[in-house]
Amino acid sequence: MLKKLDPLLHSELRLAIMSLLISVKKAEFTYLKEQTEATAGNLSVQVTKLENAAYIIVEKGYKGKMPQTVCTITEKGIEAFEKYVKDLKEYLKL
Amino acid sequence: MLKKLDPLLHSELRLAIMSLLISVKKAEFTYLKEQTEATAGNLSVQVTKLENAAYIIVEKGYKGKMPQTVCTITEKGIEAFEKYVKDLKEYLKL
DNA sequence: GCAATTTAGTTTATATTATAAACTAGTTTG
DNA sequence: CAAACTAGTTTATAATATAAACTAAATTGC
């Protein structure tokens, strides 16, 4: 009856990350940390999970001399997010 | 920035239970089990959590000679569900 | 110029949560 | 009356989320 919700997206922090990336497409790790108010450790773990699912691409570089991690949403990530929203609407009767 | 999602509702099975009860107000345990396709054990645990939060009322009686558990959504449960939907819309940009 | 603090993360350990398996108690059926 | 089924609950395990501890380099204050 009800569609199975993508467990990778049905997590508060990962959903917040993906939601931000749906808007901005690309964001720094530090920006995501500020916006989500998550701890760096938690964010790091969840970003890695999204990366492993190929929902986002994670690039490590430098901003001046400081390390900088940039996350970019992929086409697969966008599709997964859209499907999640669609599935969730069934639950919420939206 | 983003509102904290009610962790009691941000669970696939509990959300399904509440979604069903939003529609029908009152339902038998067995009906919920059929509709959600959950195992009885899992359903029992999640129903109890919703009951402890006073989101639903659980009444145990008999249907003929067989035990029958009936779940009814409370006003508090309805409000919590509506708030959850509202909060979630922020995440999903709905 | 070097100790203390800050930035930007990762790794690992712990707490929480979800799920399934095992169990109880009574019922129906061949 | 034994076997299988119904309607659940309790308990054990697996999965997940979160925080604490750590690494490594940069910046700041004295």
Side-chain angles (χ1 to χ4, degrees):
Chain A
M1 170 236 182
L2 286 169
K3 273 170 194 133
K4 187 106 188 71
L5 294 175
D6 183 344
L8 220 79
L9 293 181
H10 198 66
S11 138
E12 187 156 8
L13 183 49
R14 286 196 300 272
L15 191 60
I17 295 166
M18 290 296 282
S19 171
L20 287 166
L21 289 177
I22 281 283
S23 300
V24 301
K25 303 300 177 199
K26 180 185 276 225
E28 290 175 32
F29 185 93
T30 53
Y31 173 80
L32 293 175
K33 183 167 178 296
E34 274 169 34
Q35 293 294 314
T36 60
E37 293 174 56
T39 59
N42 193 8
L43 186 59
S44 177
V45 170
Q46 307 312 330
V47 159
T48 299
K49 285 186 186 175
L50 292 172
E51 184 186 20
N52 289 341
Y55 285 4
I56 65 174
I57 289 165
V58 178
E59 288 165 301
K60 280 138 208 264
Y62 286 89
K63 185 188 200 170
K65 290 173 182 170
M66 297 299 278
Q68 187 196 35
T69 298
V70 176
C71 302
T72 310
I73 196 166
T74 62
E75 191 51 43
K76 187 176 177 190
I78 293 170
E79 281 164 20
F81 187 85
E82 284 170 356
K83 180 172 188 320
Y84 175 78
V85 172
K86 195 161 145 290
D87 291 347
L88 198 66
K89 283 182 178 174
E90 282 190 39
Y91 282 71
L92 305 182
K93 320 284 181 201
L94 293 181
Chain B
M1 170 237 179
L2 287 170
K3 273 169 195 134
K4 187 103 189 70
L5 295 176
D6 183 344
L8 220 78
L9 292 181
H10 198 65
S11 139
E12 187 156 8
L13 183 48
R14 286 196 300 272
L15 191 61
I17 294 166
M18 290 296 284
S19 171
L20 287 166
L21 289 176
I22 281 284
S23 299
V24 300
K25 303 299 177 199
K26 182 185 277 226
E28 290 175 32
F29 185 93
T30 52
Y31 173 80
L32 293 176
K33 183 167 176 298
E34 275 169 35
Q35 293 294 314
T36 60
E37 293 174 58
T39 60
N42 192 9
L43 185 60
S44 178
V45 170
Q46 306 311 330
V47 159
T48 300
K49 284 187 187 176
L50 292 172
E51 183 186 21
N52 289 341
Y55 284 4
I56 65 175
I57 289 166
V58 177
E59 287 164 303
K60 279 136 211 264
Y62 287 90
K63 184 186 201 173
K65 291 175 181 166
M66 297 299 278
Q68 187 196 34
T69 299
V70 176
C71 302
T72 311
I73 196 167
T74 63
E75 190 52 43
K76 188 176 176 190
I78 293 170
E79 282 165 20
F81 187 84
E82 284 170 355
K83 182 175 186 319
Y84 175 78
V85 172
K86 196 161 146 289
D87 291 347
L88 198 66
K89 283 181 178 173
E90 283 191 37
Y91 282 71
L92 305 182
K93 319 285 182 201
L94 294 179

